[in-house]
């Protein structure tokens, strides 16, 4: 993860991302009023949030010794996909 809670600029970054994902899940999981039989309707929703850091260097997590990234080669995204066939939600 990129979030560092000791840095005041990133202290709420994790919570903000979780709240955005929950908002999207609630948006796509609303009731179906138009369908006569909800089991015959397939719904899908997707969302991508840009999470590329604004400042560098940044610590790269996952190793035994700290490593630092000086730049991002490509934009980083957190992605969410919701699928619903009327009986199961994924």
């Amino acid at each position: 993860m990129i979030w560092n809670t000791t840095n005041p600029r990133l202290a709420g970054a994790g919570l903000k991302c979780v709240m955005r994902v929950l908002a999207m899940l609630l948006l796509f999981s609303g009731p179906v009023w138009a369908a006569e039989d909800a089991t015959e309707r397939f719904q899908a929703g997707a969302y991508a949030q840009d999470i590329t850091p604004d400042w560098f260097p940044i610590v790269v997590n996952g190793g035994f010794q700290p490593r630092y990234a000086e730049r991002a080669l490509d934009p980083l995204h957190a992605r969410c996909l919701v699928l619903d066939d009327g009986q199961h939600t994924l």
Side-chain angles (χ1 to χ4, degrees), residues 1-84:
M1 289 286 154
I2 295 174
W3 302 307
N4 180 359
T5 57
T6 60
N7 187 328
R9 290 180 63 193
L10 296 178
L15 181 60
K16 289 178 188 176
C17 185
V18 169
M19 294 304 289
R20 287 179 182 147
V21 169
L22 287 176
M24 291 308 296
L25 286 173
L26 290 174
L27 178 67
F28 289 111
S29 65
V32 179
W33 291 293
E36 293 177 13
D37 186 10
T39 60
E40 297 178 6
R41 186 169 179 173
F42 180 79
Q43 294 180 324
Y47 185 75
Q49 175 69 41
D50 183 13
I51 59 168
T52 307
D54 294 333
W55 54 273
F56 291 94
I58 191 162
V59 176
V60 178
N61 292 331
F64 288 105
Q65 296 186 0
R67 292 185 317 151
Y68 296 91
E70 299 295 328
R71 62 189 169 107
L73 299 176
D74 295 315
L76 302 174
H77 292 92
R79 296 182 178 149
C80 175
L81 178 66
V82 179
L83 305 173
D84 184 5

